[in-house]
Amino acid sequence: MAFAARGLSLPIEAVLPELTAKLASASCVVLQAPPGAGKSTVVPLVLLECDWLVGRRIIMLEPRRLAARAVAARMAHTLGEAVGRTVGHRMRMDTRVSRDTRIEVVTEGVLTRMLQQDAALQGVGLVIFDEFHERSLQADLGLALTLDAQANLAPELKLLVMSATLDAQSIAARLEAPLVQSAGQAWPVATRYAGLTAPLLPATPGGPVGSGDSVEALITRIVRRALTEEPGDVLVFLPGAREIRRVQAQLQGGPLPSGTQVLPLYGELAPREQDAALAPAAAGTRKVVLATNIAETSLTIDGIRVVVDSGLERRAVFDPVTGMGRLETARISRASADQRQGRAGRLEPGACYRAWSEGAQRSLAAFSMPEILQTDLAGLALELTAWGVRDATTLVWLDPPPAATLASARELLQRLDAMDDDGRATAHGRDMARLPVHPRLAHMLVAARQLGCVPLAAQLAALLSERDLLRAAGGAADADVRSRLAVLQGETAPAGLDHGALQRARRMAGDLVRQSGGAGAGNELPSAAHAGLEGVLLALAYPDRIARKRAGSDNRFVLANGRGAQFAVPQSLSQREFIVAIDVDDRDRDARITLAAPLSREDLEEHFSAHLNRSDEVHWGDRDQAVVARRVTRLFGLEISERPLRDVPAEASGTAMLEGITRLGLSVLPWNDESRDLQARMEFVRAHAPATLTAAWPATDDVSLSANLRVWLTPWLEGVTRVQHLARLSMAQILRGLLSHEQQVRLDALAPTHFNAPTGSRIRIDYRDELAPVIAVRLQEVFGLLASPRLAGGQVPVTFKLLSPAQRPVQITRDLATFWQGSYAAVRKEMRGRYPRHYWPEDPAIAAPTRRAKPSGSGKSRV
């Protein structure tokens, strides 16, 4: 096609001969061309005239709906035709093709659905993946499936991967495909760093002017500066629609140069509003286009020569552990910054104002992380299952899906009955895969057939697939999904309602009813009989987010996935025992519930009976320090009911009681001096008596008792279910029960409890003293005793703590004979001075023992 003859001259024309030649001989080619080179709108038209494409179609995947519409319209205009003739587009809720269409620009999951319906893509000769550097999940999945189809079913099918950034070299290497590069033709762009730090994240203190500066305030100042310093129209990059509305309000609330229009541009806008932002400014006027990163690449916005870049984008981040995701505002990569800057130099020299410092530019990541590495993979897992792939590594990926996230997605599919235990798609799963919504919502729609409420399910799916109807109306604090249903069904119309989102949701709901098989049976509109089923339907879609209110809390819930959650502000749903938390932000310790629906216990028991798990549980309760016995009903791990268990098996009760004693420690048992003395005697014999006398002697130290708690304590725990009940036990009796009758006799012989002193006194033997065995006795009561008694079969002498008349130790010895002959003289001298009325013989070895001050019948003390 002679574009020069049509008055067109674009940089891509220089490489068209090389591109067509390589595509004629190769099955896959990678084209790298910078923004503005013309690849999106020129290449498909040129390739359409190739001999190998005669009678066959081109499918061109665009990652964004707005870009798909614009690209199709531009190519149709080039041909002098309307969209839907030679060039058409397919996207959700907007299809314009005919039997003459040979180039179909598709987006979102359209390519994947086309492959699932016809894996060989009959009649298609080329699949183009445009703007592949954006690395959307659908682009990665579509490429993997198309390569698989090409290798196994359609060897004549060709692939063209087009990228605007230099990472095209790594893409070509991974695909083992030739690379064609277009130098492009960009006008010089003056870069002005208008910030003092890295791109300013929301709620981040600090900024170019003072602390506490907001992103919106900073961008508003930079736009006003750019309008003053530079001519031409201005393209402003902001992370999302919320920031766009705020900046638009701030700009329009202050002075602007005469004839300046401020226009938003983001995906959820109505086509009419999008077209207004894309159209050239009227003569004598200027426009400021406030856009998300939707305007980074494919779109050409006439008249732009100034770019103001916030350095931010909104991206989805998924946690496979909790199964929850969130939208996160993050800094862009250097590659994205370069692409945004390039928008200012497409038509003439331009300027780019960056809302960060020159030094911070180096801190930005080189490239953006592919979506497949950070987002929910439930949809991808369902597509792979429907494709017949049980092992994702068998496909060709530029970046394989993370194993943990994919495993989490497959677990969800099993819970949604879409996949069996062997990883194969069920009939239910195949029905789900045919619907153009998230697998959760697809499961809800398919299940709604059995409940006869497809229209209600379709409305819910549409609401959850579109932007929140009430967010712009200030109703975001109302987390009840029924408020949105009332708006969708025309019952209410709050001020500030997003009418564009409302119309899209209504249209989508109608499409889903037809695609789900709900039309044609008087089933086009929700019935009053279905009121109250909202929570049931949404619980089908989000079984892991069924939640029960925590006991004693007004606003806190626990989800079926184990995560804690609460509403940002108290509301009527806070008082419900059960809810399903549809939209959850898990950044805080307790996830924040932003959208939910009520549930009842009866709903759960009726509609989820196949998933209810009833079990008797006996365990230790730390709070009450008692055995807890309950009959519990769980749904996906969430307790939904419990009642006390009356007849508790003795074994289970004993096991739970042992668990409690183990946690509390042996000290919780009713030890007293008698039982501790017995324990010490038994350990003394085990440690010191001859092995021939202590065969099979039990270990009763605390460590051993703790290790063998179940063995020795279980027989005594019948009827014991609380800590207080332990007082009934006799530890001495329990310890004696560890010994046979013969061992008990030996214990008394080897470690007697008392010593019979020469005076006849019965003195306790202390086996718990560190010098054990120890006898504490008044010195006078052992006069005449020549040797210390020996215990443990003669192995261990008794240690005497010899006491003064005041019961204070005067000597500690294990050898009385040596004491009498040695240090006794010094002790006698000291004691005579302190206690002169007491008996202190010169030779204690032959003296008579006494319990009195003087021996019976004696006159005075012998000296």
Side-chain angles (χ1 to χ4, degrees):
M1 180 172 293
F3 282 90
R6 296 177 181 268
L8 300 175
S9 179
L10 294 168
I12 197 68
E13 292 185 47
V15 298
L16 290 178
E18 179 187 3
L19 177 63
T20 54
K22 287 187 175 178
L23 265 175
S25 58
S27 61
C28 181
V29 174
V30 176
L31 170 64
Q32 186 270 317
K39 62 182 181 301
S40 301
T41 55
V42 173
V43 168
L45 295 176
V46 171
L47 294 179
L48 198 61
E49 299 180 349
C50 292
D51 293 340
W52 50 270
L53 261 176
V54 172
R56 304 170 76 187
R57 291 177 293 136
I58 295 174
I59 302 297
M60 180 174 178
L61 179 67
E62 284 288 341
R64 303 175 188 277
R65 284 181 290 176
L66 178 56
R69 288 180 59 249
V71 167
R74 183 63 64 93
M75 286 192 286
H77 177 73
T78 300
L79 296 176
E81 299 177 351
V83 175
R85 292 282 303 278
T86 304
V87 181
H89 63 234
R90 290 182 189 267
M91 62 193 73
R92 191 181 72 184
M93 298 185 296
D94 188 4
T95 297
R96 298 178 66 181
V97 297
S98 67
R99 66 178 61 187
D100 297 325
T101 301
R102 294 194 59 208
I103 299 176
E104 293 187 18
V105 185
V106 303
T107 188
E108 297 169 335
V110 174
L111 173 61
T112 306
R113 288 195 293 278
M114 294 173 72
L115 283 162
Q116 295 285 15
Q117 294 167 5
D118 177 12
L121 289 180
Q122 295 291 329
V124 177
L126 174 66
V127 178
I128 300 176
F129 295 86
D130 194 20
E131 308 299 352
F132 196 77
H133 55 271
E134 293 194 19
R135 296 299 305 280
S136 70
L137 177 64
Q138 285 295 330
D140 275 16
L141 173 61
L143 179 61
L145 297 185
T146 306
L147 287 169
D148 193 48
Q150 182 191 60
N152 296 290
L153 297 171
E156 295 182 357
L157 181 67
K158 294 181 182 292
L159 280 71
L160 175 60
V161 178
M162 302 198 302
S163 175
T165 59
L166 293 178
D167 66 341
Q169 295 178 340
S170 62
I171 295 172
R174 179 69 181 91
L175 298 178
E176 298 180 354
L179 173 64
V180 177
Q181 291 182 291
S182 169
Q185 181 181 350
W187 294 91
V189 176
T191 303
R192 294 166 186 165
Y193 291 95
L196 300 178
T197 63
L200 193 63
L201 292 169
T204 300
V209 182
S211 61
D213 204 14
S214 70
V215 175
E216 295 86 352
L218 172 61
I219 295 301
T220 299
R221 288 198 303 275
I222 296 174
V223 170
R224 293 189 186 282
R225 171 186 166 187
L227 288 170
T228 301
E229 296 178 350
E230 296 287 342
D233 296 338
V234 181
L235 174 60
V236 183
F237 285 100
L238 290 159
R242 180 176 64 247
E243 291 82 1
I244 286 175
R245 290 192 298 272
R246 290 174 179 171
V247 171
Q248 183 178 16
Q250 291 182 23
L251 285 172
Q252 293 175 335
L256 288 173
S258 177
T260 301
Q261 287 182 294
V262 181
L263 302 171
L265 181 61
Y266 52 90
E268 290 82 8
L269 282 176
R272 178 176 52 82
E273 295 176 278
Q274 294 176 350
D275 292 342
L278 298 175
T285 66
R286 303 176 68 180
K287 66 179 179 182
V288 176
V289 178
L290 307 177
T292 62
N293 58 3
I294 195 173
E296 268 188 26
T297 50
S298 296
L299 293 177
T300 296
I301 306 176
D302 291 331
I304 297 297
R305 67 168 305 277
V306 180
V307 165
V308 174
D309 188 359
S310 69
L312 302 176
E313 64 181 353
R314 197 96 77 222
R315 63 176 67 140
V317 178
F318 181 73
D319 183 351
V321 176
T322 63
M324 295 188 291
R326 63 179 181 273
L327 283 176
E328 185 176 86
T329 302
R331 297 182 175 107
I332 61 173
S333 66
R334 293 198 299 274
S336 290
D338 290 344
Q339 287 185 66
R340 292 180 176 187
Q341 180 189 52
R343 307 300 292 184
R346 286 199 172 187
L347 304 176
E348 58 181 302
C352 175
Y353 292 78
R354 288 175 170 169
W356 60 93
S357 68
E358 186 171 4
Q361 170 72 6
R362 294 186 294 273
S363 69
L364 300 180
F367 295 99
S368 300
M369 182 181 293
E371 188 179 8
I372 197 171
L373 299 181
Q374 57 185 335
T375 195
D376 178 12
L377 297 183
L380 179 142
L382 181 59
E383 297 292 355
L384 294 182
T385 303
W387 189 253
V389 172
R390 283 186 276 178
D391 181 1
T393 61
T394 60
L395 298 180
V396 176
W397 303 93
L398 295 183
D399 290 282
T405 310
L406 188 57
S408 174
R410 290 167 68 87
E411 288 176 9
L412 175 63
L413 292 185
Q414 287 182 321
R415 184 171 288 186
L416 299 178
D417 301 322
M419 187 174 71
D420 62 23
D421 293 339
D422 294 325
R424 289 187 290 260
T426 62
H428 181 79
R430 288 190 290 273
D431 283 347
M432 289 168 53
R434 296 186 184 103
L435 295 172
V437 290
H438 189 281
R440 292 180 182 272
L441 304 179
H443 170 64
M444 175 182 71
L445 286 162
V446 175
R449 298 174 189 167
Q450 299 298 321
L451 298 174
C453 56
V454 170
L456 178 59
Q459 289 190 344
L460 290 169
L463 284 172
L464 299 181
S465 299
E466 285 294 338
R467 184 168 168 266
D468 188 354
L469 302 181
L470 300 186
R471 189 174 300 277
D478 178 5
D480 197 329
V481 74
R482 294 173 299 178
S483 301
R484 281 80 176 164
L485 268 178
V487 173
L488 189 65
Q489 295 169 358
E491 297 176 10
T492 61
L497 175 66
D498 188 334
H499 292 281
L502 175 61
Q503 293 305 315
R504 288 193 301 272
R506 285 175 173 169
R507 182 177 174 184
M508 182 178 182
D511 289 344
L512 289 175
V513 168
R514 291 185 289 274
Q515 295 174 41
S516 302
N523 208 14
E524 287 80 10
L525 295 173
S527 165
H530 300 147
L533 283 179
E534 301 90 354
V536 173
L537 289 170
L538 292 168
L540 290 169
Y542 297 89
D544 51 329
R545 299 187 198 169
I546 296 172
R548 185 182 187 186
K549 188 161 70 171
R550 293 186 186 273
S553 172
D554 289 335
N555 195 36
R556 300 182 65 226
F557 291 77
V558 59
L559 303 175
N561 62 16
R563 190 83 159 83
Q566 62 181 343
F567 290 102
V569 294
Q571 49 196 284
S572 60
L573 286 178
S574 304
Q575 305 309 312
R576 294 278 188 159
E577 182 183 12
F578 293 99
I579 61 169
V580 54
I582 308 159
D583 194 6
V584 182
D585 187 334
D586 72 337
R587 277 177 288 194
D588 299 326
R589 185 184 66 177
D590 270 1
R592 185 165 55 90
I593 304 170
T594 55
L595 195 63
L599 276 170
S600 70
R601 187 188 306 277
E602 292 73 24
D603 287 336
L604 296 175
E605 292 176 346
E606 177 182 355
H607 297 285
F608 293 87
S609 57
H611 297 284
L612 295 179
N613 181 6
R614 294 179 174 87
S615 61
D616 292 343
E617 294 185 355
V618 183
H619 61 87
W620 177 256
D622 287 320
R623 186 180 63 181
D624 297 328
Q625 294 199 333
V627 175
V628 177
R630 307 180 302 161
R631 179 156 290 169
V632 182
T633 300
R634 283 189 173 85
L635 175 65
F636 304 125
L638 178 70
E639 289 186 13
I640 65 168
S641 68
E642 65 282 326
R643 62 181 178 85
L645 194 61
R646 293 183 179 179
D647 299 323
V648 184
E651 181 179 356
S653 177
T655 298
M657 196 68 204
L658 286 171
E659 178 188 356
I661 295 170
T662 300
R663 292 186 187 181
L664 297 171
L666 282 186
S667 60
V668 75
L669 296 174
W671 295 98
N672 55 23
D673 286 340
E674 178 190 6
S675 54
R676 283 300 190 187
D677 284 348
L678 176 58
Q679 179 190 30
R681 289 172 61 212
M682 293 171 70
E683 280 302 288
F684 171 76
V685 170
R686 187 171 72 92
H688 299 290
T692 55
L693 300 176
T694 58
W697 199 268
T700 55
D701 61 284
D702 282 2
V703 173
S704 299
L705 289 177
S706 296
N708 297 290
L709 200 63
R710 180 177 299 276
V711 175
W712 62 271
L713 190 56
T714 298
W716 303 90
L717 292 180
E718 185 174 355
V720 176
T721 60
R722 309 184 70 84
V723 165
Q724 295 90 325
H725 294 169
L726 293 174
R728 305 172 187 170
L729 304 181
S730 167
M731 293 304 298
Q733 182 183 7
I734 293 172
L735 291 176
R736 282 195 175 275
L738 299 178
L739 300 174
S740 66
H741 175 71
E742 181 182 356
Q743 287 174 324
Q744 291 185 42
V745 172
R746 286 186 179 175
L747 174 66
D748 292 338
L750 298 172
T753 60
H754 290 79
F755 165 69
N756 293 320
T759 59
S761 296
R762 184 173 169 80
I763 309 297
R764 172 180 171 270
I765 303 175
D766 187 354
Y767 292 89
R768 294 157 65 187
D769 192 287
E770 61 181 3
L771 299 175
V774 170
I775 297 173
V777 61
R778 283 196 351 176
L779 189 152
Q780 286 95 337
E781 290 203 55
V782 293
F783 286 160
L785 186 63
L786 300 180
S788 298
R790 303 182 73 86
L791 305 181
Q795 301 298 308
V796 182
V798 169
T799 298
F800 280 100
K801 288 186 177 179
L802 300 176
L803 308 177
S804 70
Q807 298 293 315
R808 295 187 179 90
V810 297
Q811 185 70 31
I812 297 176
T813 181
R814 286 187 174 184
D815 188 349
L816 284 175
T818 300
F819 171 60
W820 298 144
Q821 296 171 9
S823 58
Y824 170 73
V827 170
R828 174 177 178 265
K829 181 178 180 181
E830 181 181 354
M831 290 298 101
R832 285 180 67 192
R834 290 188 179 184
Y835 307 102
R837 298 173 57 84
H838 287 255
Y839 177 47
W840 304 108
E842 289 185 7
D843 188 354
I846 61 173
T850 181
R851 285 183 287 189
R852 303 182 180 185
K854 296 182 182 294
S856 179
S858 66
K860 58 181 180 179
S861 176
R862 290 176 290 176
V863 295

